[in-house]
Amino acid sequence: MVGGRLGESIKMREELMEEACYLALRAHTFAGKPYLSKKIRGSSETVFSFPGSWTVDDGSVASPLDRERLNSICSHPSAVSSMTKKQPSTKRSIEDSKPFSKQQHLKMRVKKALTEKKQIIFTGHSSGGPTAILATLWFLEEYIRPNPSHITPLCVTFGSPLVGDHIFPHALGREKWDTYFIHFVTRYDIVPRLMLAPLSSIERQLQPVLHFFNPKSPFFGLESFATSVDASTFFMNVMRNVSAVASHVACHLMGSTNSLLETVTSFIELSPYRPFGTFIFCTGNGKLVVVKNPDAVLQLLFYSSQLTCEAHIREAACKCLKEHLGYENELQESFKMQNVAYLDDHLKEIPLSSSGSVQGELATINTALNDLGLSTRGRLCLCAAGELQRQKQRNQDRIEFNTKEIAEKLKSIRKYQIDREVRKVGYYDAFKLQNDGEDFQANVKRLELAGMWDEIIEMLKRYALPDEFEGRKEWIELGTKFRRLVEPLDIANYYRHLKNDDTGPYLIKARPKRYRCTQRWLEHDRRISQGSSSESCFWATVEELRNSNKQPFEELKETIMDLERDIDRWYQHGEIGKDVFLDESTFAMWWKTLPYQHKNGSCLARYMSN
């Protein structure tokens, strides 16, 4: 899409964006106030704007958003390796953060606006941007996740530093929350690029820059600093680091397999920060370039601020500081012109030459990229970002094509389970014994399904699927059915071959990611605690308890009682079958060895007696 009004595209009126910018800048001048709020007259929005922080020691300027804060909204394989540990939720981490030290008052004001059916707009300029982002995440966790019918919020930032690593855009894309975040960036503004430089590389020069941006500082907007050697040095240090990050990412986008890439990162510190949401680049002449693809945004952050020669360093350094203070005027001019280019649908076909002969929409895009000063290399990087996104969609289409085959194999294992139950032998125990041909056939299906799901999990691990894949209901349901039917067979096979003697307990040493990930999908979707949906692997706990028969009962009592309560709950919810309680099942035979007094008072006694 090229042309058209910006407000219609991002679902936010231009006058509301201007008002948000005005309030974001104004918030800096109110000393001691954690935020400003305003009900927009004659409309259905309430704006909350947050001031910036102007010291290097403040967490919102110098510290990354910890990956652990995203665990409650992300079930990516790299985030579930520690799923047995209780991690802080995003909401809890946000409320504990420094900008929210007076969050109770803010929460009350937000709740009041929500009851009045107002749309909440969170906004911030400069280092006030991360606070607005955290506030929006808190709102999404507090109100939208439990009740999607609430009016969704918007977060609008102006010259904000980046927040969060590559897990961040993945997590927000998974929830389809990334559309609620809108970031305005001018062509040379240094602050949106700031976090792409490790703090250690710029820390000594950063505080004077923060004084330059602070409206309450005597050095605010000081011309002599903007044109100084220190400003030029700061600009070059930041952009050198931005170049390293952008080049490293570009190599991966283009499919480079050179091992030197990973070798370099072992002794060169690269920033983990990555963009997310919708970025709107202001070209400086009234035009706007809109892009959502996070890889494309990262390349634009680098290539749009390139210099034609070293002689222009001081001029660019001055611009990189002054443009950070000029968002209000820039927006007014851009909204009057309404010359907007939307890149996402055209990344693969971007003209590689600034003077290329193209027509129509591509001609408009080419002009906009020229205004941002994009070189041929920069355009190639944008094309690579677009191709990667298309490849992710192709991967998903290929997986979707296999769903029927997965369903058929699961149907076969379900029939195997029912047939064993009719014979009064649980399918776990029958599979463990492997006494007939049907057991062998079930094993073949188990291995085939394991291969198909391992391929899916590996793609997720490599970010080779669209971000929203894990949040799709049909895949959550299919993954849950797969886990509940097939993992007991994996456990039976593991203990049948006594692999625990060599490798260790299944749950600690051998549980595959295909089960850990699909379990996390379900727990996340249902908003239940990590580990509470482990019905598919309780057999491993039973096997370990059987192997602990030399330990006194009192030492195992708490573990046994927890297991019994879980089994009772899972059975009542239909998450495990009655074959668990058959007389000759592994579980029943072990349970019968427990002390009589314990069995008599157990919550499972009524099942075992029947």
Side-chain angles (χ1 to χ4, degrees), residues 552-605:
F553 172 76
E554 290 301 322
E555 291 183 11
L556 301 172
K557 184 176 180 179
E558 185 177 346
T559 301
I560 292 171
M561 292 183 69
D562 285 344
L563 176 63
E564 289 176 329
R565 284 190 289 268
D566 284 339
I567 289 175
D568 185 25
R569 172 169 56 86
W570 294 329
Y571 181 67
Q572 290 188 49
H573 292 167
E575 294 169 354
I576 60 175
K578 61 184 180 182
D579 60 313
V580 172
F581 306 115
L582 292 172
D583 279 346
E584 300 303 317
S585 79
T586 296
F587 172 75
M589 293 178 68
W590 163 77
W591 191 83
K592 291 172 184 176
T593 66
L594 299 178
Y596 174 79
Q597 186 175 1
H598 170 79
K599 290 188 294 184
N600 196 43
S602 170
C603 60
L604 300 184

Side-chain angles (χ1 to χ4, degrees), residues 118-145:
K118 299 284 189 181
Q119 183 180 35
I120 308 297
I121 311 293
F122 295 107
T123 187
H125 167 256
S126 194
S127 54
T131 310
I133 291 167
L134 291 175
T136 309
L137 286 173
W138 162 77
F139 185 93
L140 290 165
E141 280 280 347
E142 181 77 14
Y143 295 108
I144 302 302
R145 188 193 292 281

Side-chain angles (χ1 to χ4, degrees), residues 406-530:
I406 292 174
E408 287 296 322
K409 293 181 188 302
L410 289 175
K411 184 178 179 180
S412 175
I413 290 182
R414 173 59 179 152
K415 183 178 183 301
Y416 170 75
Q417 181 185 36
I418 294 171
D419 290 347
R420 301 312 97 179
E421 190 175 310
V422 169
R423 301 179 191 181
K424 303 299 182 183
V425 180
Y427 87 127
Y428 174 82
D429 293 286
F431 190 84
K432 191 175 178 184
L433 293 171
Q434 290 285 313
N435 282 336
D436 59 43
E438 291 179 350
D439 303 322
F440 174 79
Q441 291 301 322
N443 192 39
V444 172
K445 294 291 188 292
R446 173 184 75 92
L447 294 172
E448 290 173 343
L449 283 165
M452 297 172 80
W453 278 91
D454 283 345
E455 181 184 14
I456 293 172
I457 300 303
E458 182 59 29
M459 284 185 181
L460 286 171
K461 185 179 178 181
R462 292 186 285 106
Y463 297 91
L465 290 171
D467 293 333
E468 63 272 14
F469 176 84
E470 295 169 86
R472 295 176 60 184
K473 291 287 185 182
E474 59 267 35
W475 279 100
I476 294 172
E477 292 172 2
L478 192 62
T480 300
K481 187 176 182 180
F482 161 72
R483 178 172 57 85
R484 288 176 178 170
L485 274 174
V486 181
E487 186 168 21
L489 304 185
D490 270 28
I491 297 169
N493 185 71
Y494 189 80
Y495 285 94
R496 174 176 182 261
H497 292 288
L498 303 178
K499 292 182 180 180
N500 54 307
D501 289 346
D502 297 326
T503 307
Y506 172 87
L507 288 175
I508 299 174
K509 298 292 186 179
R511 193 184 188 203
K513 287 182 179 178
R514 59 180 175 267
Y515 302 126
R516 285 187 284 145
C517 290
T518 49
Q519 177 181 331
R520 184 69 184 112
W521 293 356
L522 180 68
E523 291 170 347
H524 173 74
D525 184 64
R526 292 185 176 178
R527 292 180 58 80
I528 56 180
S529 60
Q530 292 185 10

Side-chain angles (χ1 to χ4, degrees), residues 301-492:
L301 285 172
F302 173 59
Y303 285 103
S304 66
S305 54
Q306 290 303 288
L307 306 178
T308 54
C309 65
E310 290 189 12
H312 296 160
I313 291 177
R314 181 167 293 192
E315 178 185 349
C318 183
K319 283 183 179 180
C320 86
L321 298 178
K322 286 188 172 182
E323 282 194 5
H324 186 64
L325 304 176
Y327 278 89
E328 198 167 8
N329 292 333
E330 184 71 31
L331 260 62
Q332 288 175 356
E333 181 182 355
S334 298
F335 291 160
K336 286 178 184 177
M337 290 184 63
Q338 284 296 323
N339 191 330
V340 187
Y342 301 89
L343 292 190
D344 288 279
D345 292 338
H346 301 278
L347 287 173
K348 187 66 173 65
E349 52 191 1
I350 283 176
L352 299 183
S353 171
S354 59
S355 58
S357 57
V358 289
Q359 296 178 345
E361 295 180 352
L362 289 181
T364 306
I365 287 178
N366 197 35
T367 301
L369 295 182
N370 286 342
D371 291 341
L372 287 176
L374 242 66
S375 62
T376 298
R377 181 175 176 81
R379 292 161 183 259
L380 278 169
C381 291
L382 292 184
C383 289
E387 175 56 31
L388 178 61
Q389 193 62 40
R390 284 174 172 76
Q391 183 58 53
K392 289 181 180 182
Q393 187 58 52
R394 288 195 290 267
N395 290 341
Q396 178 171 294
D397 293 342
R398 182 163 61 84
I399 289 173
E400 296 280 3
F401 184 77
N402 292 332
T403 53
K404 186 176 180 180
E405 184 179 355
I406 292 174
E408 287 296 322
K409 293 181 188 302
L410 289 175
K411 184 178 179 180
S412 175
I413 290 182
R414 173 59 179 152
K415 183 178 183 301
Y416 170 75
Q417 181 185 36
I418 294 171
D419 290 347
R420 301 312 97 179
E421 190 175 310
V422 169
R423 301 179 191 181
K424 303 299 182 183
V425 180
Y427 87 127
Y428 174 82
D429 293 286
F431 190 84
K432 191 175 178 184
L433 293 171
Q434 290 285 313
N435 282 336
D436 59 43
E438 291 179 350
D439 303 322
F440 174 79
Q441 291 301 322
N443 192 39
V444 172
K445 294 291 188 292
R446 173 184 75 92
L447 294 172
E448 290 173 343
L449 283 165
M452 297 172 80
W453 278 91
D454 283 345
E455 181 184 14
I456 293 172
I457 300 303
E458 182 59 29
M459 284 185 181
L460 286 171
K461 185 179 178 181
R462 292 186 285 106
Y463 297 91
L465 290 171
D467 293 333
E468 63 272 14
F469 176 84
E470 295 169 86
R472 295 176 60 184
K473 291 287 185 182
E474 59 267 35
W475 279 100
I476 294 172
E477 292 172 2
L478 192 62
T480 300
K481 187 176 182 180
F482 161 72
R483 178 172 57 85
R484 288 176 178 170
L485 274 174
V486 181
E487 186 168 21
L489 304 185
D490 270 28
I491 297 169

